[in-house]
Amino acid sequence: MYNILIIGCEFTSQIFYNLLEFNKTEPLFDSIVNISELNNVPESIKYNSKYHYIEFRSKNLNFLNILKKYKITHVINFLSKNIEDLNTVYNLIQDCIKWDKIEKFIHISSNKILSDRMPDTRLNVLSEDKYCLHSCIESIVRQSSINTIIARTCKIYCKEINNIITRFISILRENKVIELEGNGSDTMGFIHVKDFCSAITLILHKGVVGKVYDICPDRQYMVLDLARELCYLFWKDDSSIRFKFVNKNKELFKFTLNNNNIKNLGWKQKITLSEGLKNIIKH
């Protein structure tokens, strides 16, 4: 049985629910410790004996004490947004090494990074500094001596996560026009939070240390396709979409995710983008 530390996640409740469902058929975890800015979980979880919340205060956290107190065996790390996250992840790893009982350290990463999949050894120029931080943090995790698994993901979406989907929906609800950069041909993958959480559950249970698991659908969508799908669901046409010229001097390096490894663990996408969008709009 696992004692799991989840740090920096904005949808811990979804992971908790998924683990509870998994526990009905195959016991997986004893407790979850959630370290985050806000305890935004339902009352039914807050008072569950398996759930423990610790407010995220990076300067005051003693990870070693937390690891020992809750006998942590597995870590799921979502921290990768800013320089404070880099320092926090480094300190967390050092304390995991001291604790020496971490069976799996699962780091949630991105496809917009400098990675082992680069076509050559040259340093690609990134158009956004935050992705350099993603790369640095993943590199720190990969080069540590702990039992690391990297989970790289595309856009995770649901009603509670703010991203391009919720932004477009908000624009259409206000009867405004969606503005797309360029011709809207940029491609993205979208995975519903429930499908993402089922993948994380499988990695916890069956994932192989040292491997990289891409959590993504089989199909990517152009941003224009996403905008049109949402317009259709709101009974609007292309007049609700406008294009704006953007002078891009640098291209953001991005590699295509491949979900073969996660499929080999038994994962499959259950919620299509169309179904997921309808669910968000309905609720």
Side-chain angles (χ1 to χ4, degrees):
M1 296 289 281
Y2 310 158
N3 293 317
I4 305 166
L5 171 64
I6 302 177
I7 181 167
C9 178
E10 55 188 305
F11 48 86
T12 303
S13 58
Q14 294 285 353
I15 298 177
F16 192 90
Y17 280 132
N18 200 83
L19 288 170
L20 285 178
E21 285 299 311
F22 196 91
N23 263 24
K24 290 178 181 178
T25 57
E26 191 168 352
L28 182 60
F29 79 107
D30 276 331
S31 66
I32 282 182
V33 179
N34 173 28
I35 300 179
S36 64
E37 298 285 352
L38 296 171
N39 192 17
N40 56 346
V41 300
E43 296 294 311
S44 60
I45 291 180
K46 280 184 183 179
Y47 301 107
N48 190 300
S49 60
K50 291 179 177 289
Y51 176 80
H52 311 277
Y53 170 71
I54 299 173
E55 186 176 356
F56 190 91
R57 296 183 182 276
S58 57
K59 293 182 180 179
N60 300 325
L61 277 180
N62 186 318
F63 288 119
L64 189 56
N65 285 348
I66 293 170
L67 296 171
K68 289 180 177 179
K69 178 179 179 180
Y70 296 100
K71 298 181 174 59
I72 298 297
T73 59
H74 293 69
V75 176
I76 307 175
N77 173 54
F78 285 82
L79 296 178
S80 62
K81 295 177 182 177
N82 51 51
I83 193 67
E84 288 80 14
D85 287 351
L86 189 150
N87 294 329
T88 302
V89 172
Y90 177 80
N91 292 333
L92 174 60
I93 288 172
Q94 298 310 307
D95 284 345
C96 285
I97 293 171
K98 293 174 186 175
W99 174 232
D100 195 30
K101 297 186 188 301
I102 302 301
E103 296 177 26
K104 292 176 184 176
F105 187 105
I106 301 169
H107 176 66
I108 311 302
S109 190
S110 164
N111 64 330
K112 295 180 180 178
I113 62 170
L114 305 175
S115 75
D116 56 308
R117 301 183 194 182
M118 287 178 64
D120 53 43
T121 56
R122 291 175 299 173
L123 181 67
N124 288 57
V125 177
L126 299 184
S127 61
E128 296 186 47
D129 291 340
K130 67 178 181 178
Y131 294 118
C132 292
L133 277 167
H134 284 322
S135 304
C136 291
I137 293 174
E138 182 182 310
S139 179
I140 287 171
V141 175
R142 289 171 65 88
Q143 293 178 30
S144 69
S145 59
I146 56 178
N147 297 322
T148 301
I149 294 176
I150 303 296
R152 293 186 181 137
T153 183
C154 57
K155 294 283 185 187
I156 304 169
Y157 73 95
C158 69
K159 184 179 179 181
E160 291 76 24
I161 299 176
N162 293 322
N163 57 25
I164 188 172
I165 290 177
T166 50
R167 189 167 71 249
F168 283 1
I169 289 174
S170 178
I171 289 170
L172 293 173
R173 279 191 171 138
E174 294 172 5
N175 289 317
K176 296 179 180 178
V177 175
I178 295 174
E179 286 194 341
L180 302 182
E181 295 183 353
N183 60 6
S185 62
D186 286 348
T187 58
M188 296 182 180
F190 300 96
I191 196 78
H192 193 275
V193 67
K194 289 184 178 179
D195 282 332
F196 173 82
C197 292
S198 68
I200 291 299
T201 302
L202 283 170
I203 292 172
L204 276 167
H205 189 48
K206 299 180 179 179
V208 178
V209 170
K211 280 212 168 193
V212 177
Y213 295 91
D214 292 347
I215 305 173
C216 62
D218 293 325
R219 177 187 172 185
Q220 289 199 332
Y221 285 81
M222 290 195 303
V223 177
L224 177 58
D225 292 335
L226 172 65
R228 282 176 169 162
E229 178 74 17
L230 285 169
C231 285
Y232 169 78
L233 293 174
F234 275 92
W235 298 85
K236 298 177 184 288
D237 57 25
D238 282 5
S239 63
S240 293
I241 300 172
R242 183 166 58 216
F243 301 94
K244 64 178 181 179
F245 175 75
V246 177
N247 183 18
K248 289 187 177 180
N249 295 320
K250 294 184 291 185
E251 288 295 324
L252 178 64
F253 177 78
K254 178 175 67 174
F255 58 81
T256 302
L257 297 176
N258 183 322
N259 59 17
N260 285 341
N261 281 349
I262 193 67
K263 281 184 172 179
N264 288 339
L265 297 184
W267 179 85
K268 64 179 180 180
Q269 181 186 7
K270 294 183 178 179
I271 303 173
T272 65
L273 180 60
S274 180
E275 292 169 336
L277 296 179
K278 289 176 184 176
N279 186 264
I280 293 176
I281 292 169
K282 184 171 65 176
H283 295 92

